[in-house]
Amino acid sequence: MGMVVPILSAVSSVVGAISQSGAQAAAGQAQANAAYYNAQVAQNNAIAAQQAAYADKLQQDRKNRAQIESVRSKYLNSGVELEGTPGMVLLEETTQAALESDKILHRGKVQAANYTNEANMARYQGDVALSASQTQSSSTLLGGIFSGVSGVGRSIYAGR
């Protein structure tokens, strides 16, 4: 009967460590899953930002073409030749319009890059949470096993 209590205590320590280790692993997995979900949302936002910017650019291009054609039509209707200063004005107007379209696309790319960075950070946080919980879980499990084994060893040694 003298060895039963230490052995039961050791088994209890190991079982408790297994239970706690499993809970730690599950908590880490839940944190990682949340971070991975946030990463996917951010990645979807990046794609949406690029698509929206492209659509806005196309709309701006249509608007630009209409404005350029309007200027050209007014020049031609008034009898102005599209050479020299009027041609330069029209060229400047065209260049400025193209710049506006490019700025829209650039803003979309910057926004998409920000979302992509956010997604990468969330994935990293998920990986860290998973790794930390696995380390903590293993440490808890090993600690419980060593505690149980050393308890039995002390009892055996003290029983001599």
Side-chain angles (χ1 to χ4, degrees):
M1 179 83 170
M3 288 301 295
V4 172
V5 171
I7 290 174
L8 288 177
S9 176
V11 169
S12 175
S13 291
V14 171
V15 169
I18 290 170
S19 175
Q20 186 177 3
S21 172
Q24 289 168 336
Q29 185 64 55
Q31 282 181 318
N33 288 346
Y36 295 149
Y37 174 80
N38 289 339
Q40 187 60 50
V41 168
Q43 196 62 50
N44 291 345
N45 288 341
I47 292 167
Q50 286 178 321
Q51 290 172 343
Y54 185 70
D56 290 346
K57 180 196 180 308
L58 291 178
Q59 184 177 1
Q60 184 66 41
D61 287 346
R62 282 191 291 274
K63 181 180 170 187
N64 292 345
R65 280 191 302 275
Q67 285 177 333
I68 298 299
E69 288 305 314
S70 174
V71 170
R72 181 177 298 155
S73 175
K74 287 177 184 175
Y75 276 154
L76 293 175
N77 283 339
S78 67
V80 173
E81 296 282 326
L82 293 180
E83 295 174 5
T85 303
M88 290 172 55
V89 169
L90 194 57
L91 179 62
E92 176 62 28
E93 194 72 29
T94 303
T95 303
Q96 191 61 37
L99 181 60
E100 289 302 314
S101 289
D102 288 345
K103 283 178 11 184
I104 290 170
L105 206 53
H106 177 71
R107 279 192 300 270
K109 286 179 181 179
V110 168
Q111 187 178 19
N114 288 336
Y115 282 126
T116 299
N117 290 339
E118 187 180 316
N120 291 338
M121 181 56 79
R123 275 191 287 279
Y124 172 75
Q125 289 170 338
D127 291 345
V128 168
L130 199 55
S131 178
S133 72
Q134 288 170 344
T135 300
Q136 188 177 17
S137 171
S138 296
S139 176
T140 299
L141 182 59
L142 288 175
I145 291 171
F146 288 142
S147 174
V149 169
S150 69
V152 170
R154 281 192 304 272
S155 294
I156 291 172
Y157 183 73
R160 286 191 168 176

